[in-house]
Amino acid sequence: MIQCKRLYDAASAGDGYRVLVDRLWPRGVKKDALEYDEWCKTLTPSPALRKDFHSGAIDFAAFREAWLAELAELTEEGERLLGQAKDRPLTLLYGAKDTQHNHAQVLAEWLRGLAIRQ
């Protein structure tokens, strides 16, 4: 099971392997206060794509397509992450306020597809 969760929400036993998937450390969060197993900066949108999306230069649909294209080059890292959570849930932690339109949701979708192909 792959799920997404705002990093500001409390950790729970059902989270399994918790991975921070933001390129930048979240503001206002001390590193020793966040419960996570791994900070995976590799599986985050490029700085240019992140900037375009957050500035409003592209909408979510365009962002999603561009992010999926970037992810296509990161299959090995995706497989590695799936391996870390093979026998437990994988929770992708993100800081975005929008819980539906963010990079972690697209990453989860991509990882689910990758898991099916394995």
Side-chain angles (χ1 to χ4, degrees):
M1 176 175 73
I2 300 169
Q3 58 192 356
C4 297
K5 189 174 190 177
R6 286 197 77 220
L7 61 92
Y8 302 102
D9 296 337
S12 67
D15 287 349
Y17 194 73
R18 294 170 48 93
V19 181
L20 176 61
V21 292
D22 282 349
R23 185 174 296 269
L24 305 174
W25 189 262
R27 288 184 179 176
V29 178
K30 293 182 180 181
K31 288 190 178 180
D32 61 347
L34 181 63
E35 293 181 49
Y36 68 104
D37 297 296
E38 177 181 343
W39 182 10
C40 186
K41 296 179 194 178
T42 306
L43 292 176
T44 61
S46 66
L49 181 56
R50 183 180 164 276
K51 181 181 175 187
D52 284 349
F53 180 54
H54 289 290
S55 71
I58 60 174
D59 64 8
F60 183 72
F63 169 79
R64 180 183 171 280
E65 290 304 313
W67 181 208
L68 287 171
E70 288 185 0
L71 286 169
E73 302 296 320
L74 300 171
T75 301
E76 189 172 307
E77 182 66 8
E79 290 171 345
R80 182 201 64 78
L81 188 58
L82 287 171
Q84 291 292 329
K86 195 157 189 88
D87 298 323
R88 56 189 164 169
L90 173 62
T91 300
L92 305 177
L93 303 173
Y94 65 92
K97 291 179 184 178
D98 187 334
T99 60
Q100 299 301 311
H101 303 98
N102 63 63
H103 70 285
Q105 296 294 339
V106 178
L107 177 58
E109 171 191 343
W110 179 76
L111 286 169
R112 287 180 194 113
L114 195 59
I116 290 169
R117 291 189 297 263
Q118 285 185 334

